[in-house]
Amino acid sequence: TPGDESKVIELADGTWMVNSRGNGAGHRYVHLSADEGKTWGEGSTVHAGNSAYSSMTFIPGKGIGLLYERNDYREIVFTRINP
């Protein structure tokens, strides 16, 4: 997937998840790969506006935590993703 500032984690079932900022508009997406990154699914939008730096972490029993900047660096947002 074309993007930058990508973070990749491996889920319990071996699937890879990437969080990236789409080049150009800066929209934030997550995509899944079942073949160690050879191919990526279409993905889903986390934030449709501009976004910046991010970090992902596992939250035991609660999914994936995603912290990222948005709205021209004015906000730092935490969201939880259930892959």
Side-chain angles (χ1 to χ4, degrees), residues 12-36:
D13 66 358
T15 299
W16 287 10
M17 174 187 274
V18 66
N19 152 47
S20 64
R21 180 176 71 168
N23 290 334
H27 302 310
R28 183 137 318 266
Y29 301 97
V30 291
H31 299 266
L32 298 174
S33 173
D35 57 11
E36 298 181 331

Side-chain angles (χ1 to χ4, degrees), residues 62-73:
K62 297 186 179 180
I64 309 297
L66 174 62
L67 183 75
Y68 65 97
E69 294 177 328
R70 70 178 185 190
N71 298 334
D72 295 319
Y73 311 104

Side-chain angles (χ1 to χ4, degrees), residues 19 28 46-48 50-55 66-71 75-79:
N19 152 47
R28 183 137 318 266
V46 173
H47 179 70
N50 60 21
S51 68
Y53 305 105
S54 67
S55 185
L66 174 62
L67 183 75
Y68 65 97
E69 294 177 328
R70 70 178 185 190
N71 298 334
E75 296 178 276
I76 297 176
V77 178
F78 177 82
T79 190

